[in-house]
Amino acid sequence: YHHGQLTFSLIYAFSENFVLPLSHDEVVHGKGSLLNKMPGDRWQQLANLRSLFAYMWAHPGKQLLFMGSEIAQPSEWSHDKSIDWHLLDHREHEGIQRLVKDLNRTYKDIPALWEQDFSDEGFEWIDANDADNNVLSFFRSSHSEEHLVCVCNFSPVVREGFRVGLPRAASFTEVLNTDAESYGGTNVGNMGVVVAEPRPWHGLDHSAIVTLPPLGVLWLYG
């Protein structure tokens, strides 16, 4: 029901140079933490938070994340005490921290995510309208025509046999999967690689069948 709110930012994303803030103002003054804003049980809340971060890092613009959110702190931030670092003794919170580390490292290593950040030449929707499946897909491009494909499944359902358009004939490496066990997920994915075949889909000349993890985001690089 909120699909259009997820895609609306791309209508004006290249009109200015934007920061993407999940800031101090989101987690103080009775607003609660990012984790506790999420719907569902604790597993779904954590999966939603992982998906939010992966979508945000793939979105054009520069990311800002306020302290405590990178470990999925359940309590609201307070200037009277430290971050709840003890949460890192728990696998699910340590997994969120590992995801943020990997997002930053992968972002740095893949020029498609930043080289044309403020130009519409660096972004193209694959499918912005699949509200029935709660799926969004797009790709980012570098000057050397390498691509980072981002596929988001914002439903709690595993989607097997899901065909997605791809920007070129290539083997795409699954460089990030927010449902990886190391992040606290269930390890639903594509065995590390997706191979494009010459079958038109989503207005593109190539496509592949993929498995989309529940409440998960995939990054495919090729």
Side-chain angles (χ1 to χ4, degrees), residues 125-171:
W125 284 113
I126 297 173
D127 190 354
N129 301 306
D130 192 2
D132 289 342
N133 286 314
N134 300 132
V135 173
L136 287 176
S137 52
F138 58 89
F139 63 87
R140 306 291 306 279
S141 303
S142 69
H143 291 308
S144 59
E145 297 187 353
E146 291 183 321
H147 305 285
L148 189 288
V149 174
C150 179
V151 186
C152 310
N153 177 19
F154 292 123
S155 77
V157 177
V158 177
R159 302 208 179 279
E160 297 179 337
F162 191 92
R163 184 169 290 278
V164 61
L166 293 172
R168 68 188 183 107
S171 293

Side-chain angles (χ1 to χ4, degrees), residues 42-162:
R42 184 60 90 197
W43 189 91
Q44 290 177 322
Q45 288 179 316
L46 288 160
N48 267 306
L49 190 61
R50 295 193 299 268
S51 294
L52 168 64
F53 289 163
Y55 179 57
M56 176 181 175
W57 259 251
H59 191 290
K62 301 306 180 188
Q63 299 77 20
L64 185 157
L65 186 63
F66 190 70
M67 63 179 78
S69 298
E70 80 282 8
I71 62 170
Q73 183 168 293
S75 60
E76 187 174 272
W77 184 80
S78 171
H79 59 74
D80 292 325
K81 63 176 184 176
S82 73
I83 301 299
D84 293 336
W85 296 114
H86 63 276
L87 292 171
L88 294 175
D89 294 335
H90 301 275
R91 172 176 168 268
E92 60 270 26
H93 294 279
E94 193 269 337
I96 297 282
Q97 186 191 51
R98 180 180 290 115
L99 171 66
V100 173
K101 288 179 181 178
D102 287 350
L103 286 168
N104 285 334
R105 175 183 52 78
T106 308
Y107 185 94
K108 177 177 68 70
D109 290 345
I110 296 180
L113 286 167
W114 45 262
E115 200 169 61
Q116 302 192 85
D117 215 15
F118 302 125
S119 168
D120 57 8
E121 294 180 1
F123 178 92
E124 185 172 331
W125 284 113
I126 297 173
D127 190 354
N129 301 306
D130 192 2
D132 289 342
N133 286 314
N134 300 132
V135 173
L136 287 176
S137 52
F138 58 89
F139 63 87
R140 306 291 306 279
S141 303
S142 69
H143 291 308
S144 59
E145 297 187 353
E146 291 183 321
H147 305 285
L148 189 288
V149 174
C150 179
V151 186
C152 310
N153 177 19
F154 292 123
S155 77
V157 177
V158 177
R159 302 208 179 279
E160 297 179 337
F162 191 92

